[in-house]
């Protein structure tokens, strides 16, 4: 029998000491919820890109092993850096979720996938394909610094980042 998913509100209530010392942080509530999996968590892999999705696609072609891809897209609202095909591939490759500081497209297709996706919004225009970006770099998203290897917990109440895996 698998464990119940960690509720972010309960995690905050039970770990005040981690919040006070900065080991547990909440992202500002700027993200829209997409995908069929509203609750997801896992170790973080970070990526920094701007209006380019080549590196995103490359990451999602790898085995996810329950990880969460956190993409700092610079908050761009001028194009989508993630679409339905890579999300479908991420689902098939075992990624738990994807958080995008930017836009997505193919929303209906993404909403049919059994994966958690958070993004600022949707946009019909596609991204560039030049392959520029930084893998495994610390990123600053929604008021929080996020590092490769930290843990992400997401549900309908919000998104938490923890230096280590937590439980309540």
């Amino acid at each position: 029998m698998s464990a119940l998913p960690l509720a972010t509100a309960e995690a905050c209530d039970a770990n005040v000491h981690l919040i006070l010392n900065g080991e547990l942080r909440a992202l500002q509530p700027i993200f829209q919820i997409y995908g069929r999996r509203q609750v997801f968590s896992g170790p973080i892999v970070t990526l920094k890109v701007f209006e380019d999705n080549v590196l995103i696609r490359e990451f999602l072609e790898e085995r996810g092993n329950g990880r969460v891809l956190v993409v700092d897209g610079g908050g761009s609202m001028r194009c989508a850096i993630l679409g339905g095909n890579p999300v479908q591939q991420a689902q098939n490759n075992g990624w738990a979720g994807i958080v995008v500081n930017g836009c997505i497209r193919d929303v209906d297709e993404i909403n049919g996938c059994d994966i958690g996706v958070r993004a600022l919004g949707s946009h019909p225009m596609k991204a560039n394909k030049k392959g520029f970006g930084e893998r495994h770099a610390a990123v600053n998203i929604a008021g929080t610094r996020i590092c490769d290897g930290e843990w992400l917990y997401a549900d309908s109440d919000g998104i938490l980042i923890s230096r280590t895996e937590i439980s309540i």
Side-chain angles (χ1 to χ4, degrees):
M1 186 166 171
S2 65
L4 293 173
L6 182 77
T8 59
E10 290 178 21
C12 289
D13 293 350
N15 291 288
V16 173
H17 64 288
L18 295 178
I19 294 169
L20 292 175
N21 70 19
E23 289 184 33
L24 181 63
R25 291 106 52 213
L27 298 188
Q28 295 167 349
I30 61 173
F31 295 98
Q32 303 297 313
I33 298 174
Y34 302 98
R36 286 198 338 241
R37 194 179 299 178
Q38 295 209 355
V39 178
F40 62 95
S41 63
I44 295 170
V45 178
T46 58
L47 181 58
K48 191 172 194 173
V49 299
F50 188 72
E51 298 180 357
D52 190 309
N53 70 355
V54 171
L55 296 180
I56 296 171
R57 293 178 76 97
E58 287 178 5
F59 261 117
L60 298 177
E61 288 171 358
E62 298 174 8
R63 300 296 311 156
N65 299 318
R67 294 177 296 169
V68 177
L69 180 61
V70 175
V71 182
D72 182 359
S76 174
M77 302 296 276
R78 301 189 310 183
C79 67
I81 58 174
L82 182 68
N85 289 338
V87 171
Q88 180 73 43
Q89 189 160 37
Q91 170 196 275
N92 295 342
N93 285 339
W95 289 86
I98 307 164
V99 176
V100 178
N101 184 31
C103 291
I104 64 169
R105 68 183 201 164
D106 306 323
V107 170
D108 292 338
E109 187 177 342
I110 290 171
N111 283 340
C113 292
D114 184 23
I115 189 169
V117 177
R118 300 292 189 273
L120 298 180
S122 61
H123 198 293
M125 292 178 64
K126 67 180 179 179
N128 295 314
K129 299 199 182 311
K130 296 180 181 174
F132 298 138
E134 293 178 68
R135 301 168 186 255
H136 309 290
V139 297
N140 289 295
I141 297 175
T144 303
R145 180 179 168 88
I146 304 170
C147 297
D148 210 67
E150 292 187 305
W151 280 75
L152 183 142
Y153 300 89
D155 64 12
S156 55
D157 284 333
I159 301 172
L160 296 177
I161 305 297
S162 176
R163 290 205 181 120
T164 59
E165 186 175 9
I166 59 173
S167 60
I168 53 173

